[in-house]
Amino acid sequence: MRYSKQREAVYQVLCGTTTHPDVNWIYQEVRKIMPHVSLGTVYRNLAELVSCGRIHRVGVENSSERFDARTDPHAHYVCEKCRCVTDVELNQFDVHHKIPQVNRCEVIMYGVCNDCSSNQTQE
Ligand SMILES: [Zn+2]
Ligand SMILES: [Zn+2]
């Protein structure tokens, strides 16, 4: 794949966060570095990064597509209230001991995050 300054900017932005942002968030951040970049360009670069395995796409129910720069096997926890996505560590030994090779992992758990459940009790 040809080196692209825009693609590297997209990748750096995604590497700098653990929030699993959607394309619009990434677009806003990339624009701070490259003010003339278009949403279409950011989206195309994300798709390219996904297809070469440098980032992963996280499919979240009732939400726009989210992206993740972390590519080692891990699960996700999605809050049904605020739609935040957090990483859940898998037992690495279990994963690699019981399954010969894990290239991708798409476990998504749904629930209500700590922030949202503590807000609820204050009401
Ligand atoms: Zn929440
Ligand atoms: Zn993740």
Side-chain angles (χ1 to χ4, degrees), residues 4-7 9-10 23 26-27 30 34 36-49:
S4 149
K5 231 176 156 177
Q6 288 166 334
R7 190 170 57 236
V10 168
V23 63
I26 297 165
Y27 171 55
V30 174
M34 295 180 168
H36 301 296
V37 77
S38 72
L39 181 61
T41 301
V42 170
Y43 197 81
R44 184 169 44 80
N45 282 301
L46 283 168
E48 283 173 9
L49 288 163

Side-chain angles (χ1 to χ4, degrees), residues 18-117:
T18 54
T19 59
H20 308 77
D22 64 9
V23 63
N24 284 311
W25 187 94
I26 297 165
Y27 171 55
Q28 299 304 331
E29 291 300 306
V30 174
R31 270 205 339 191
K32 292 179 188 168
I33 313 165
M34 295 180 168
H36 301 296
V37 77
S38 72
L39 181 61
T41 301
V42 170
Y43 197 81
R44 184 169 44 80
N45 282 301
L46 283 168
E48 283 173 9
L49 288 163
V50 169
S51 69
C52 67
R54 286 177 69 192
I55 65 170
H56 283 166
R57 209 188 286 266
V58 184
V60 176
E61 251 175 43
N62 305 321
S63 170
S64 45
E65 281 183 314
R66 314 281 285 251
F67 295 90
D68 193 354
R70 201 181 143 181
T71 55
D72 64 306
H74 66 282
H76 289 118
Y77 178 86
V78 178
C79 175
E80 289 175 316
K81 289 203 173 236
C82 69
R83 295 281 147 199
C84 67
V85 180
T86 43
D87 287 334
V88 178
E89 303 307 321
L90 297 172
N91 184 327
Q92 296 291 322
F93 177 77
D94 257 27
V95 169
H96 293 294
H97 187 68
K98 291 179 182 152
I99 309 159
Q101 194 191 351
V102 179
N103 292 330
R104 269 153 56 74
C105 171
E106 288 188 66
V107 179
I108 302 187
M109 301 165 215
Y110 291 89
V112 177
C113 75
N114 287 337
D115 281 353
C116 288
S117 50

